[in-house]
Amino acid sequence: MTDLADSPAVRRLSDWDLSRLESIADEYETPLYVMDLDRVKENYTRFSAAFPDADVMYAAKAHTGKAVLEAVLEAGGTIECAAWGELQRSIDAGADPNELQYTAVNPPDRDLDYAADLGADNPGLTITIGATDTLERLAERGYDGRIAIRINPGIGTGHHEKVATGADAKFGIPYERVPDVADRVREEFELVGIHAHAGSGVLTDDLEDHCEAIERVGEMARRIGDDELEFVDVGGGYGVPYREDEPPLDLERTSEMVRDAVGDLEAQLKLEPGRYIVADAGLILTEVNTIKEAPDTTVVGIDASLSTLIRPAMFGSYHPMLNVSAPDREPIEATVGGPVCTSADVFAHDRPIAEPERGDVLAIGNAGSYGYELANQFHSQPKPAEVALKDGDARVARRRETLEDVTRLEQ
């Protein structure tokens, strides 16, 4: 296991080796994702150590790159998947299909075809259902294996209303219908667990609401017979501080509160951290190309855009920024935006940054979670390369796309 003695609870942007980052930007060009695989393993190890008796599964949707999945597996983790592509990519990275858990949310036929076939050859695969329709569709495919029921606890938490899944009717079986659905599952399948996910981006101050949802999950487990269940999965959503003055998640307190909330169980506790494992392990390097004095601000143009990192445009998310090339210059208040033709393509408004000049490299922090996963090709911009750091070495984990990659599917 990774030694946690020198592993802080959160890695701030200023903790990175800036001279190393500048040389990486020079060698691999920008915009560029950088993922520190050693940090991924440290984060997984720290989280799992806080829950020593639990099964800690990495939520692949946070970052499904092969290098990251391999790092999680090297740390001893298992993987939770939300789509058939994530199942296949986890297997390609070395995961045992019998240890995978697939959480089906309005699954397309292709997903269920794949999962049913995978389960036929790998009876340890677990499929989590959030609608009785999914049970019927699985039965039509001849699947009669391991099923977990996703509960809608009616309580949502997290950093934004768009990720407060615990109160969203899209996710899970309505709470009071769960016992009837459990009886049905027992008749046709193997009921192995229940599952819930309250929301995403939970920090210490959000724990009371988060644990209120978990308390309902524990109550339901005992109501339907936790002694007959293999596990009770309380999901993930555990966050990292994006702002420099926010404290990190108190893992000791989190562990105590989650355990108290779920209560005494015969079944094993499961958790699915994603963001916590990879967010502060990744950043974006981007080059300044434009400096424009406007009446109310200084506009700093960079080569990263909302096609590189969509979270600020999609969620209004804050990401720390730092001038890697000249961190000691006097700061100015700058509005930092990319080359996409929309006012949404802005990473920061009136943000104090060491005065940028054309050619400087800026770093955008905490980009390891839902960064590359949501990258796109808007404006026919090829997706950036991704460099992985491991044991002091850097390598290309994903090559930079070309325009040919953007257009190769056209006929």
Side-chain angles (χ1 to χ4, degrees):
M1 298 290 278
T2 302
D3 183 5
L4 298 181
D6 298 319
S7 175
V10 61
R11 186 186 206 179
R12 307 290 184 179
L13 188 51
S14 58
D15 294 332
W16 291 73
D17 183 336
L18 302 190
S19 61
R20 179 83 189 284
L21 292 178
E22 191 168 28
S23 67
I24 288 173
D26 183 62
E27 181 175 357
Y28 298 102
E29 302 182 345
T30 59
L32 179 71
Y33 271 88
V34 179
M35 287 298 300
D36 186 339
L37 304 182
D38 296 324
R39 182 65 183 174
V40 170
K41 290 192 282 188
E42 288 173 6
N43 288 341
Y44 178 85
T45 302
R46 185 186 314 101
F47 191 95
S48 60
F51 293 91
D53 300 324
D55 181 4
V56 176
M57 307 188 79
Y58 167 64
K61 59 183 174 288
H63 192 299
T64 323
K66 185 177 182 182
V68 169
L69 296 177
E70 289 174 340
V72 170
L73 293 170
E74 288 173 11
T78 51
I79 301 174
E80 181 270 335
C81 304
W84 79 272
E86 292 179 6
L87 287 168
Q88 183 60 60
R89 292 177 74 176
S90 298
I91 294 168
D92 291 345
D96 180 350
N98 288 290
E99 295 181 347
L100 294 176
Q101 187 165 311
Y102 164 50
T103 306
V105 180
N106 300 335
D109 286 343
R110 175 188 58 239
D111 286 50
L112 287 189
D113 290 343
Y114 179 94
D117 289 345
L118 187 64
D121 295 330
N122 301 275
L125 174 74
T126 301
I127 298 179
T128 303
I129 61 100
T132 54
D133 276 7
T134 306
L135 290 176
E136 296 166 5
R137 295 166 67 199
L138 285 169
E140 290 170 359
R141 288 162 170 79
Y143 181 84
D144 60 359
R146 294 165 57 86
I147 292 288
I149 299 172
R150 180 166 185 170
I151 297 171
N152 185 312
I155 300 169
T157 58
H159 69 89
H160 195 279
E161 62 181 11
K162 293 181 180 179
V163 298
T165 55
D168 189 335
K170 175 181 174 180
F171 300 96
I173 302 290
Y175 192 79
E176 290 303 324
R177 291 185 55 204
V178 171
D180 290 340
V181 175
D183 290 340
R184 177 177 174 182
V185 171
R186 287 187 176 109
E187 291 176 0
E188 303 178 50
F189 306 88
E190 181 186 359
L191 178 62
V192 296
I194 60 172
H195 167 281
H197 179 76
S200 186
V202 173
L203 291 173
T204 305
D205 290 345
D206 306 308
L207 284 174
E208 288 191 10
D209 289 341
H210 183 72
C211 287
E212 186 177 348
I214 290 175
E215 184 176 349
R216 301 202 79 199
V217 178
E219 290 172 353
M220 182 57 69
R222 288 181 287 275
R223 183 172 165 185
I224 65 174
D226 64 294
D227 57 332
E228 298 179 15
L229 298 177
E230 181 182 306
F231 64 82
V232 174
D233 184 343
V234 296
Y238 303 98
V240 297
Y242 283 78
R243 295 182 181 271
E244 294 88 341
D245 58 352
E246 287 180 317
L249 179 68
D250 185 335
L251 266 185
E252 182 177 353
R253 182 180 176 194
T254 300
S255 177
E256 292 174 355
M257 290 183 66
V258 168
R259 286 289 187 183
D260 287 345
V262 77
D264 292 332
L265 293 172
E266 295 293 329
Q268 183 180 40
L269 178 66
K270 268 193 179 187
L271 301 102
E272 302 171 1
R275 186 188 310 273
Y276 184 91
I277 307 302
V278 292
D280 73 354
L283 54 73
I284 294 167
L285 298 177
T286 179
E287 184 175 299
V288 175
N289 55 52
T290 301
I291 304 291
K292 180 171 64 175
E293 297 297 336
D296 299 320
T297 190
T298 298
V299 176
V300 176
I302 56 176
D303 59 6
S305 71
L306 62 76
S307 66
T308 314
L309 179 70
I310 202 171
R311 294 190 73 253
M314 187 174 184
F315 300 118
S317 302
Y318 179 99
H319 282 262
M321 302 188 73
L322 188 149
N323 189 336
V324 171
S325 300
D328 296 326
R329 286 195 199 129
E330 285 296 316
I332 63 167
E333 290 194 351
T335 296
V336 183
V340 168
C341 189
T342 169
S343 297
D345 186 27
V346 175
F347 292 98
H349 290 278
D350 300 322
R351 181 85 62 83
I353 299 174
E355 185 171 8
E357 297 177 357
R358 282 200 311 273
D360 282 352
V361 174
L362 304 186
I364 303 173
N366 281 354
S369 175
Y370 304 103
Y372 206 103
E373 290 302 302
L374 294 173
N376 59 80
Q377 297 171 333
F378 186 47
H379 272 5
S380 294
Q381 294 189 95
K383 291 182 184 178
E386 183 179 51
V387 167
L389 307 179
K390 183 179 181 181
D391 298 329
D393 297 324
R395 68 173 179 87
V396 175
R398 260 189 275 222
R399 69 167 175 81
R400 188 176 303 281
E401 285 188 344
T402 65
L403 185 58
E404 184 179 26
D405 292 317
V406 175
T407 62
R408 65 187 173 88
L409 300 181
E410 294 179 352
Q411 300 183 37

